[in-house]
Amino acid sequence: MNKKDITIGIVGLALLGTTVAGLTGWHNERQQVNSLKAQLADAQLQEKRSTVVRSISRQMEDIAYQQKEISDEQREEAIQQKRTADEMRQRSEVERMNALVAQQQAMESEKQAQEALQIAENERQIAEHQRIQAELSKRMTDTLSYVALARSLGSLSSTQAQVGNTELADLLAYASHHYASRYHGDVYYPAIYQSLMTASQSMKTWPEHNGWLMNMGYMSEDDDRIVTCSTYGEVKIHKKMGEQLRTETLLSNKNYDFRDIYIDEGVIYVVSRNGHLAIIEKGTPRVIDLPGLAFPISMTELDKDNLILVGEHGLAQYNKQQKMIVATKELDFKITNAGRYNYMPALFDDQGRMHLVKDLNTLITSDNPVRGRVTAFASSKNTKQRAYGMSDGTIYLYDEQTGKTTKLEAHLSRISKLKMNGNRLYSSSYDGTVKLWLTVSDKIVPITLISAGSWITNFSFDASKNYIWIGDQNGDLTVALLSVPMMVERIRNKLKRDFTTDEWNYYIGRNVPYESFLTTKGKGVAK
């Protein structure tokens, strides 16, 4: 190869190298341009982002400034509120202190007021006590005065009734009860009660038997018919119809001397002193002899199936189911009276003893706490008292709890019957009276309920305790009203006029306000 070719080759290579190098540089320059463009684009994008970020930052800064302003305002407001709160707290503390001072002053004032109130209350109580005492004294004076007036009017009523001046007697009796009840006096005081009995005309008598009317008994609590027996051998049954008495004779035989009646479930048992027992069932009488029992005087229940018949010297047991005498027993003492005590038959002998019949062969014997012949006996389980009626008219009231015996004297002859109803003791006597004794009184004063003209042998009350039935030696059957309210109602219905002014001033007094008992029906309304 020649030199020219070499030179051309070298030049070509150099051109080629230069071309390659130029191409490479161009390429690199292009790449650098593209990179710069990319960087420029990134820078422009970054600038846009920065612009956005700056915008956002400015906005955030503005917001922050706004929040700062708000915070500053809130801080200022909080400071202001704190200042206000401090001022209010200080004011509140001042007011609290003022309130404490005021409270202390109020407590002191209240204490002083309480002390003043207590003083005033004490003075009021003293004044009230004095007023009450004055009123009590006045009421006591008025009460005593009016109760005394009531008793006086009762006595005047009885006097006017005796002389036949019934209109005035009725007015006086009514006024007597009026003032006694208004001022809480005792309407059972003898003068008052007797005037009511007389003015109410509450007693009615029928001649029913030929012999002595010895005993009586109701058919039952629900049956108001009453059965009576007599010493003339009569057994009769009666029913009150208004002011009339309807009577039916169940048995009449003068050979019998009936002394006592016992009624059980509609069956009537009547014992005769001459040794017979009459049994009347459904209106049909049957009479059996009592050969082992001399002089029967009484009978009572032993138990639900048996009766004890009491003779002067013996006992007989009658069985109601077998309808016959099942046993008899002789006694070595004389029986003067029979009754009941502690749900057992009680026998009283002539030696001052009481015998309780537990059964026919068992007698519980004890001495009576009183001396004398017992002719009537009654007791009360509620008050723990026993009453002994004697042949001389004396009544002894014995208290089982204290052992104290009280002697009651008012009857003039033999006590024929006693009955106790709680603190009320009723007694009848051959002196012709029935009396009521209130056993709770410090001084037991009798009230005469009935005063008859013959010996009273027996009495009984109806179921309501408003009426008392009485039998006497003449064979008369008497019924009397005992209820004070019913008596007063009868008198009220009888009143025909009021007191005249002169009568009022004379009997009751000018100082007592006038009252019309007729037009107000006893309600006591002043004219």
Side-chain angles (χ1 to χ4, degrees):
M1 179 177 296
N2 59 25
K3 189 175 181 179
K4 182 180 184 183
D5 292 332
I6 294 169
T7 301
I8 295 168
I10 292 169
V11 172
L13 286 170
L15 290 170
L16 179 62
T18 301
T19 301
V20 170
L23 290 170
T24 300
W26 177 84
H27 179 71
N28 288 335
E29 185 68 22
R30 184 176 180 85
Q31 286 182 340
Q32 186 175 5
V33 170
N34 289 337
S35 175
L36 290 171
K37 289 181 177 179
Q39 289 178 4
L40 179 60
D42 288 339
Q44 290 175 340
L45 179 61
Q46 184 65 33
E47 184 178 2
K48 292 179 179 179
R49 289 177 178 173
S50 296
T51 300
V52 172
V53 169
R54 286 196 300 275
S55 176
I56 292 173
S57 295
R58 284 195 297 271
Q59 292 177 0
M60 293 295 291
E61 185 178 359
D62 292 339
I63 292 172
Y65 279 124
Q66 292 176 357
Q67 289 179 340
K68 180 176 179 297
E69 291 177 357
I70 293 172
S71 177
D72 289 343
E73 291 177 356
Q74 290 178 341
R75 184 173 59 80
E76 287 295 330
E77 184 178 356
I79 292 172
Q80 183 65 29
Q81 290 178 346
K82 180 177 180 299
R83 187 179 299 113
T84 302
D86 289 342
E87 292 176 355
M88 293 181 65
R89 182 177 59 80
Q90 292 175 359
R91 189 180 301 114
S92 175
E93 182 66 19
V94 172
E95 291 178 351
R96 188 181 70 83
M97 294 301 295
N98 291 336
L100 288 175
V101 173
Q103 182 183 15
Q104 187 66 30
Q105 292 175 348
M107 291 176 63
E108 186 66 25
S109 297
E110 181 182 4
K111 182 179 178 182
Q112 294 175 357
Q114 288 290 343
E115 291 175 353
L117 179 63
Q118 185 63 42
I119 294 172
E121 178 63 20
N122 291 338
E123 292 177 350
R124 188 194 66 80
Q125 289 181 358
I126 293 172
E128 180 68 13
H129 178 70
Q130 292 174 344
R131 184 187 66 81
I132 292 173
Q133 290 297 320
E135 289 184 354
L136 180 61
S137 298
K138 183 178 183 302
R139 284 199 302 269
M140 290 179 62
T141 302
D142 288 345
T143 296
L144 293 174
S145 175
Y146 279 103
V147 169
L149 173 62
R151 296 176 178 180
S152 174
L153 293 174
S155 298
L156 291 170
S157 173
S158 298
T159 300
Q160 292 296 325
Q162 290 175 2
V163 299
N165 194 351
T166 56
E167 284 188 2
L168 183 56
D170 292 347
L171 276 169
L172 290 167
Y174 193 89
S176 172
H177 174 267
H178 176 72
Y179 289 112
S181 60
R182 174 185 285 182
Y183 290 92
H184 308 291
D186 183 10
V187 296
Y188 287 95
Y189 185 80
I192 300 173
Y193 190 84
Q194 284 295 329
S195 69
L196 296 176
M197 286 278 295
T198 303
S200 64
Q201 298 179 343
S202 57
M203 190 165 66
K204 182 76 173 178
T205 300
W206 296 273
E208 292 296 327
H209 289 281
N210 291 315
W212 290 32
L213 195 160
M214 293 300 298
N215 215 320
M216 61 186 69
Y218 277 94
M219 288 296 294
S220 68
E221 289 187 0
D222 299 328
D223 190 341
D224 60 356
R225 293 179 298 168
I226 190 167
V227 181
T228 57
C229 66
S230 76
T231 56
Y232 205 71
E234 299 164 318
V235 180
K236 297 185 178 185
I237 187 168
H238 317 271
K239 182 177 178 62
K240 189 173 182 293
M241 310 287 290
E243 296 299 315
Q244 303 300 318
L245 189 70
R246 187 179 67 188
T247 299
E248 177 186 356
T249 299
L250 301 177
L251 177 62
S252 179
N253 188 330
K254 63 182 180 179
N255 293 320
Y256 301 135
D257 181 2
F258 291 128
R259 296 302 178 96
D260 199 9
I261 289 177
Y262 179 84
I263 302 174
D264 179 47
E265 296 182 352
V267 181
I268 303 169
Y269 302 88
V270 193
V271 66
S272 172
R273 181 173 168 78
N274 52 12
H276 300 89
L277 176 65
I279 303 104
I280 304 173
E281 188 171 5
K282 296 180 180 179
T284 302
R286 177 174 66 93
V287 180
I288 63 173
D289 294 333
L290 304 173
L293 188 66
F295 305 118
I297 57 174
S298 181
M299 63 180 159
T300 187
E301 182 182 72
L302 179 63
D303 54 49
K304 66 177 184 177
D305 293 325
N306 294 279
L307 297 178
I308 285 291
L309 308 181
V310 181
E312 288 187 355
H313 292 282
L315 304 174
Q317 181 174 333
Y318 177 85
N319 187 277
K320 292 183 283 185
Q321 304 302 322
Q322 300 179 32
K323 298 184 178 181
M324 58 182 296
I325 300 294
V326 295
T328 58
K329 178 182 179 62
E330 291 187 3
L331 302 174
D332 57 359
F333 49 82
K334 182 179 180 181
I335 301 298
T336 60
N337 186 257
R340 294 189 68 81
Y341 180 69
N342 282 348
Y343 305 108
M344 290 186 286
L347 313 176
F348 297 89
D349 65 19
D350 57 354
Q351 301 174 30
R353 298 176 300 178
M354 178 174 70
H355 310 269
L356 298 180
V357 183
K358 189 172 182 180
D359 57 54
L360 207 62
N361 296 311
T362 306
L363 303 183
I364 303 172
T365 301
S366 62
D367 290 332
N368 294 327
V370 299
R371 293 183 177 275
R373 181 185 175 190
V374 177
T375 57
F377 175 79
S379 65
S380 171
K381 291 189 68 67
N382 293 331
T383 62
K384 304 296 182 184
Q385 292 179 321
R386 304 182 220 161
Y388 298 84
M390 316 304 287
S391 59
D392 63 356
T394 304
I395 299 173
Y396 292 98
L397 188 65
Y398 176 73
D399 191 317
E400 298 175 0
Q401 297 175 318
T402 63
K404 178 183 177 181
T405 300
T406 304
K407 187 177 183 180
L408 308 179
E409 295 181 291
H411 288 293
L412 303 178
S413 59
R414 169 180 171 149
I415 305 299
S416 56
K417 185 170 182 176
L418 295 173
K419 187 172 182 62
M420 297 195 77
N421 183 10
N423 292 313
R424 293 184 177 188
L425 171 64
Y426 297 88
S427 62
S428 63
S429 168
Y430 282 4
D431 65 6
T433 63
V434 177
K435 298 183 184 296
L436 167 63
W437 313 75
L438 302 178
T439 61
V440 291
S441 304
D442 294 333
K443 183 179 180 181
I444 304 176
V445 178
I447 300 168
T448 301
L449 301 179
I450 304 296
S451 183
S454 59
W455 294 2
I456 294 178
T457 56
N458 210 295
F459 65 88
S460 182
F461 300 101
D462 68 348
S464 67
K465 301 294 189 298
N466 289 330
Y467 288 90
I468 183 173
W469 291 87
I470 302 160
D472 64 25
Q473 71 176 120
N474 295 328
D476 293 340
L477 179 62
T478 299
V479 62
L481 179 63
L482 295 180
S483 168
V484 170
M486 294 176 69
M487 290 182 192
V488 174
E489 181 67 14
R490 283 193 178 190
I491 299 171
R492 183 189 69 117
N493 293 331
K494 285 178 57 185
L495 295 181
K496 297 179 180 179
R497 65 177 181 87
D498 273 322
F499 285 106
T500 66
T501 302
D502 289 340
E503 288 172 340
W504 184 274
N505 293 338
Y506 181 79
Y507 292 108
I508 297 179
R510 297 177 182 275
N511 296 329
V512 179
Y514 187 93
E515 300 186 40
S516 172
F517 299 126
L518 181 63
T519 58
T520 62
K521 297 183 178 179
K523 294 182 180 179
V525 178
K527 278 188 173 182

